[in-house]
Amino acid sequence: MSLGRVIPILECAYCLACARWAWKRCLYTIGHESENWHLASAEEFQPVPRLCRCILAIYEDDLRNPIWAPPGGYHLNPDWVILHKDYKETHGQSTPYMIYLDHENADIMLGIRGLHLGNQSDHAILFDHKLGQTMFDGGYVHNGLLNAARWVFDVQHENQDLLGNVERKRIRCYALASARCTSLNLAIRYADVINSIVLQVATQAFL
């Protein structure tokens, strides 16, 4: 068999292998990897809609005159927004973020937007990583996301000084539709602090 005939066959086999991987990743794995997880209780899920509204509010330039408000509004008091930094103020080191004093629920909320891959700096953060590149507390983390988190911490560390030594049990992190960015041992170690929110959808229903 000539080389000219072999190459198209190899290309076809390669395409089939890629298609199989995509099917398992997007249709099979996404529906089965969390099938043994426990459903959240009503009490555990209670803060999630409020936090989602806070994250969505970061997209607004002016909370007093919102453009993208969901039905019912954001349920946020603009006077309680302590800080709201956009892309110009983060200088590409982090996505936009907001600090909000939620007096009604006795919470201090630091909301950080997710990555917008149409933005060059966010794209750089996502791809600033190599497997096994960065260690943190005995495990591995995504290098670009860790650097972004460190930048926000360094910029806002004076707020921590005002709060003093906050007990671990009073800290909660909610990652909405989060990417896999830590090794399993860290995910287990910080399970009492970090809550990953995954709203499961049957992808096959849309095909």
Side-chain angles (χ1 to χ4, degrees), residues 63-176:
L63 272 179
R64 298 184 188 279
N65 299 286
I67 299 175
W68 316 108
Y74 293 110
H75 299 184
L76 299 178
N77 185 337
D79 293 331
W80 296 350
V81 176
I82 303 302
L83 185 73
H84 187 184
K85 290 205 170 189
D86 58 19
Y87 277 111
K88 291 182 180 179
E89 295 171 296
T90 59
H91 309 292
Q93 301 299 313
S94 166
T95 55
Y97 64 93
M98 179 173 72
I99 297 178
Y100 180 74
L101 293 184
D102 188 348
H103 294 283
E104 293 180 351
N105 296 281
D107 285 334
I108 300 175
M109 300 170 61
L110 168 60
I112 303 178
R113 267 179 52 177
L115 296 173
H116 173 23
L117 296 185
N119 183 283
Q120 187 174 1
S121 61
D122 286 5
H123 197 271
I125 290 174
L126 178 63
F127 285 94
D128 178 16
H129 181 69
K130 293 180 181 179
L131 186 63
Q133 176 181 357
T134 307
M135 289 198 69
F136 178 83
D137 197 18
Y140 291 93
V141 296
H142 187 285
N143 186 68
L145 294 178
L146 176 63
N147 287 337
R150 281 177 170 163
W151 185 86
V152 173
F153 178 84
D154 290 340
V155 171
Q156 303 302 330
H157 72 276
E158 68 275 7
N159 291 306
Q160 184 190 27
D161 294 337
L162 293 173
L163 294 173
N165 187 20
V166 180
E167 295 178 276
R168 180 178 176 128
K169 65 181 181 181
R170 300 184 65 185
I171 300 174
R172 289 291 180 272
C173 172
Y174 292 86
L176 308 176

Side-chain angles (χ1 to χ4, degrees), residues 5-42:
R5 293 182 178 180
V6 172
I7 290 177
I9 294 175
L10 291 176
E11 289 179 343
C12 182
Y14 178 76
C15 290
L16 287 174
C18 290
R20 182 177 182 274
W21 176 87
W23 176 84
K24 291 189 68 176
R25 185 74 187 103
C26 299
L27 299 182
Y28 178 81
T29 305
I30 197 171
H32 290 270
E33 64 183 1
S34 59
E35 63 184 359
N36 294 321
W37 294 1
H38 296 292
L39 295 176
S41 66

